[in-house]
Amino acid sequence: MDDRKPNIIDDLIGLVGDKAVLQTTDDTASYLSDWHDRFHGSAHAVVLPETTAQVAAIMAYAGKHNIIVVPQGGNTGFMGGATPDSSGNSILLSLRRMNKVREIDTQNMSMTVEAGCILQNLQDVAENAGLYFPLNLAAKGSCTIGGNLGTNAGGLNVVRYGTTRALTLGLEVVLMGGEVLEMLSGLRKDNTGYDLKDLFIGSEGTLGIITAATMRLFPKPVALSTAFAEIRDVDAAVELLHRMQAASGGMVEAFELIPADILHVLFESFPNIQRPLANIGPMNVLMEIGSTNPADNEVDGNGSSPIRSIMESVLEIAFEDGLVIDATIASSDAQRDALWDVRESSPESHKRAGKVVRSDVALPQSALSAFYADMVAGVKAIDPKIRICGYGHIGDGNLHFNLVQAAGGDPDFDAKAPKLLELLYGRVTKYGGSISAEHGIGQVKRDQLAKVKSAAIINTMKSIKAALDPKNLMNPGKVI
């Protein structure tokens, strides 16, 4: 046993109380492994502060005694960014108990919340106030806003509302050593020097601990039209998106690419999920437009509404132009939910399918079609039986280009993974894309980041890190 551990534990208990310091394996196991059970770490303890003052005290103590601090939210990340290493010289600092909504300002259309607030809870609180918080992720029932901020999460509605960064008005951050940066202003404009909050959003806990945030709220869409369409190809998807944006006046809430392979994998795992169309076409999209005007939801004598008429009109013309092969429009909330089940159950179906090479990349919309075709050819050359599930938020150029092992399994799949990733990252770079759109870098993509970013950019990032964390105690081994 580490001779320092009893003193550290006693000191931490003195700072936050014994119930907030977890030590036993049973108590700490879920915090010290990532969501995919890929990374496993060790720590002196898992500490769960309840206030910003307690976080500041922990950070002051850690800075004085050179103890690593690894912050964690809901522990739903894919890149291992919230898992400590195996050295044991870490405090795993969980923000889960800091879960209060401090204020809702309906006139300012904002809410100030603590980092441990569950995303779904924030959505519910906003809705109860007659407003809308649009960040929408598959893990919304367990991920926290602090983790969303740490990775600059995106999700389904980025095409209309932007990433977490775009939804953030202010932050409260605790630096290593215990200094608190209070930047929780609800201002839309504040041009008073460097915008420090943007340094911490997306930094994955390597620069400081985000303890609270002021987030933007919006009027809630009250009229929605949702459709699932088989399309000609990826180019047709991009063209259809642009037509839908123009016809609706920018009301596209979500626009998701769904290839055939993902549907085959989905229906293997969830045979009871309703098929959107009679046939599974090679390429499909799930799209939704929304309006905050109740009049857009009023049904006329023909059983249609203004919002549905927009959807019908765009699809009808796209069908005539050969962009759309077949389509269905939801006529009820139940039908809308059934269409969204297809998209929202897809990540879990990959997990059940066994071995998967996962990715999270972004491309310019103008390069999506060429990238996709190039990737399909490259993957088929490595193994024609691999199921290519390049799906996701095509509305903002973000694809989760997941590659699932052949149906029935493939004992050699792990050996193919490095070639598949090399192909993927090479093609992303070729077409001017990003190797991480919304999942972050963490441990998984750290080495790859150094290959795709220029030395000048990496050195600038290191300089910022050194200025804020000169002892490298804030979540080391992540990002850079």
Side-chain angles (χ1 to χ4, degrees):
M1 180 180 292
D2 189 332
D3 290 338
R4 297 173 300 166
K5 186 171 181 180
N7 293 330
I8 291 175
I9 296 300
D10 289 345
D11 291 342
L12 290 173
I13 289 173
L15 295 175
V16 298
D18 58 350
K19 293 183 179 179
V21 180
L22 308 182
Q23 304 172 59
T24 68
T25 300
D26 288 345
D27 289 338
T28 63
S30 63
Y31 296 88
L32 299 178
S33 297
D34 71 307
W35 187 77
H36 283 296
D37 202 30
R38 179 176 179 180
F39 297 99
H40 307 273
S42 180
H44 293 297
V46 173
V47 186
L48 295 95
E50 198 170 14
T51 65
T52 300
Q54 288 183 346
V55 175
I58 293 167
M59 297 293 277
Y61 181 82
K64 179 179 179 180
H65 296 284
N66 298 321
I67 301 170
I68 291 168
V69 176
V70 178
Q72 187 180 99
N75 199 20
T76 60
F78 286 3
M79 297 293 111
T83 306
D85 63 21
S86 59
S87 69
N89 184 35
S90 301
I91 294 171
L92 192 292
L93 196 154
S94 171
L95 280 299
R96 294 185 191 184
R97 292 179 69 207
M98 294 187 62
N99 55 14
K100 298 181 182 65
V101 175
R102 294 184 183 176
E103 179 189 25
I104 291 187
D105 187 340
T106 56
Q107 286 188 311
N108 194 53
M109 304 279 287
S110 65
M111 63 193 307
T112 300
V113 300
E114 293 182 339
C117 287
I118 300 294
L119 176 56
Q120 178 72 66
N121 295 344
L122 295 191
Q123 293 174 343
D124 293 344
V125 169
E127 184 171 2
N128 289 338
L131 295 170
Y132 180 52
F133 185 57
L135 185 63
N136 192 4
L137 314 173
K140 62 186 177 183
S142 52
C143 68
T144 65
I145 192 63
N148 302 150
L149 289 158
T151 59
N152 188 29
L156 298 169
N157 295 338
V158 171
V159 63
R160 185 166 188 177
Y161 302 98
T163 62
T164 306
R165 184 187 305 279
L167 300 174
T168 306
L169 297 174
L171 292 182
E172 178 182 83
V173 179
V174 181
L175 302 178
M176 179 54 68
E179 189 172 10
V180 179
L181 303 182
E182 205 288 340
M183 306 177 290
L184 286 172
S185 168
L187 297 173
R188 263 71 174 176
K189 289 183 176 180
D190 182 10
N191 194 20
T192 51
Y194 306 133
D195 193 345
L196 296 180
K197 75 176 186 300
D198 276 341
L199 277 179
F200 298 96
I201 299 172
S203 68
E204 301 183 51
T206 61
L207 301 179
I209 306 289
I210 296 173
T211 50
T214 300
M215 310 302 296
R216 297 177 65 194
L217 299 176
F218 297 83
K220 184 175 176 60
V222 294
L224 294 168
S225 183
T226 309
F228 188 99
E230 179 189 350
I231 54 172
R232 185 190 66 208
D233 52 25
V234 177
D235 261 340
V238 175
E239 175 64 21
L240 183 60
L241 166 66
H242 294 163
R243 292 187 182 190
M244 196 68 71
Q245 286 282 40
S248 67
M251 295 195 303
V252 174
E253 292 275 323
F255 203 94
E256 299 287 300
L257 190 72
I258 302 179
D261 274 356
I262 198 171
L263 294 176
H264 291 304
V265 172
L266 174 71
F267 295 134
E268 285 175 12
S269 296
F270 300 101
N272 293 327
I273 286 183
Q274 182 180 340
R275 298 193 176 207
L277 300 171
N279 298 313
I280 297 177
M283 195 61 66
N284 309 273
V285 291
L286 173 63
M287 59 198 128
E288 185 164 273
I289 55 176
S291 169
T292 58
N293 185 355
D296 286 331
N297 207 33
E298 292 181 1
V299 178
D300 61 22
N302 297 318
S304 189
S305 63
I307 193 81
R308 183 183 176 93
S309 294
I310 294 172
M311 182 71 77
E312 289 175 340
S313 176
V314 173
L315 288 175
E316 181 179 352
I317 296 172
F319 181 83
E320 293 172 355
D321 292 343
L323 301 179
V324 171
I325 311 302
D326 192 12
T328 183
I329 303 175
S331 297
S332 65
D333 289 343
Q335 289 181 6
R336 174 179 179 262
D337 291 344
L339 292 180
W340 274 109
D341 278 347
V342 172
R343 171 60 181 86
E344 294 181 343
S345 299
S346 293
E348 178 62 24
S349 72
H350 291 173
K351 192 174 182 180
R352 296 186 183 191
K355 298 177 180 178
V356 184
V357 171
R358 298 178 182 273
S359 73
D360 164 46
V361 300
L363 284 302
Q365 288 182 345
S366 56
L368 281 166
S369 181
F371 165 80
Y372 208 105
D374 209 348
M375 276 300 300
V376 169
V379 171
K380 294 299 184 184
I382 294 172
D383 181 354
K385 294 183 179 180
I386 288 176
R387 292 175 287 179
I388 301 173
C389 299
Y391 73 107
H393 322 307
I394 195 172
D396 53 67
N398 176 193
L399 290 179
H400 301 299
F401 209 93
N402 293 356
L403 303 170
V404 181
Q405 67 177 352
D410 178 2
D412 300 321
F413 187 79
D414 288 340
K416 298 169 186 173
K419 290 183 179 179
L420 293 169
L421 287 171
E422 182 181 4
L423 171 72
L424 174 69
Y425 294 143
R427 296 299 185 272
V428 168
T429 302
K430 174 182 175 181
Y431 291 101
S434 168
I435 64 170
S436 179
E438 61 180 1
H439 290 168
I441 299 299
Q443 303 180 53
V444 176
K445 295 183 178 180
R446 185 186 59 182
D447 294 340
Q448 189 62 34
L449 181 69
K451 296 177 182 177
V452 300
K453 289 290 188 183
S454 70
I457 291 175
I458 294 295
N459 289 336
T460 301
M461 293 171 68
K462 288 181 177 179
S463 295
I464 294 170
K465 169 74 168 171
L468 292 176
D469 181 24
K471 296 181 181 180
N472 195 28
L473 298 176
M474 282 301 314
N475 208 12
K478 316 297 169 46
V479 185
I480 57 174

